[in-house]
Amino acid sequence: MPKDALYEESAQPVNAKKQAKWYMVFHVLFILFAVATLIHLFLCVLVLPNGLKGIKGLALVIGLLIWLAPLVALAFSCFMFFRLRRRFNVSFDYLFVQDELRITKVFNGRKRKHIVTLDADHILQLGYCEGETFERTLAGMKGAKPKLLTPNREPAEEKEFIYILYSSSVGKTLYVLECRKELLEHLVFAAGRNKFVRE
């Protein structure tokens, strides 16, 4: 394979339609609660200054709680729905170019977030996750969990879970990807065949 080889593929959720529906549910809830939060905030600004005039002590505290507690609850719910929707309909793009693997997380097919760039020179080991070597490598990570760069618990058709043991300035990291054989071949060629463990 040439040094300037280019290869790209994506790890999509196997239940993409269901994931898209759940994303839409939480997205709609996020919008509704965001609107409710803004309306309640507007009412607080409009009513509170005059409504609590002349009220002091415990009555003032109770009055503020009556108005502000729902505002906090609405804002918190809005934030939670925003966070929850990002857990659904997530995919990963793998781009291999010039001996680098660039991994991007994609939310709902639109928003993209660069996760990591893996340089082939810093790959210590790679292989299939179903092999015994993966378990031994995981045990040697001293309790550190692997970084899962796939949305699925089981690989999609014609794909495999592979692992990459990577060395960087902050230490060793174990990554798990879901890809076709072609991407693994590019990685093996770039990192060196001695880094690939079949078992």
Side-chain angles (χ1 to χ4, degrees), residues 29-30 32-38 40-41 67-83:
L29 287 171
F30 160 69
L32 290 175
F33 274 82
V35 171
T37 302
L38 290 173
H40 192 82
L41 179 62
W67 277 94
L68 296 180
L71 178 63
V72 172
L74 285 169
F76 179 74
S77 299
C78 179
F79 172 75
M80 289 305 297
F81 287 130
F82 175 79
R83 292 292 300 270

Side-chain angles (χ1 to χ4, degrees), residues 92-175:
F92 290 84
D93 285 349
Y94 312 128
L95 175 64
F96 181 85
V97 60
Q98 295 180 347
D99 288 351
E100 284 185 348
L101 179 62
R102 301 167 191 172
I103 301 172
T104 304
K105 194 173 186 178
V106 184
F107 301 93
N108 198 37
R110 296 177 183 174
K111 290 189 178 180
R112 303 171 64 84
K113 179 183 177 184
H114 176 73
I115 301 297
V116 67
T117 297
L118 304 179
D119 190 330
D121 292 337
H122 294 281
I123 294 176
L124 301 176
Q125 187 175 304
L126 66 161
Y128 295 106
C129 290
E130 61 185 21
E132 293 180 5
T133 309
F134 174 71
E135 296 299 329
R136 289 198 299 268
T137 304
L138 185 59
M141 294 299 293
K142 300 178 181 178
K145 293 183 178 179
K147 294 192 181 294
L148 302 177
L149 303 176
T150 170
N152 300 314
R153 294 186 177 182
E154 295 291 333
E157 191 177 347
E158 298 182 355
K159 291 189 176 183
E160 298 280 351
F161 282 157
I162 68 166
Y163 73 89
I164 299 174
L165 181 61
Y166 191 77
S167 175
S168 66
S169 57
V170 295
K172 294 179 182 178
T173 308
L174 189 62
Y175 296 98

Side-chain angles (χ1 to χ4, degrees), residues 10 17 23 30 35 39 46 50 56 75 87 153 161 196:
S10 296
K17 289 184 179 179
Y23 178 92
F30 160 69
V35 171
I39 291 172
L46 196 66
N50 295 323
K56 295 181 181 179
R87 294 186 178 185
R153 294 186 177 182
F161 282 157
F196 175 59

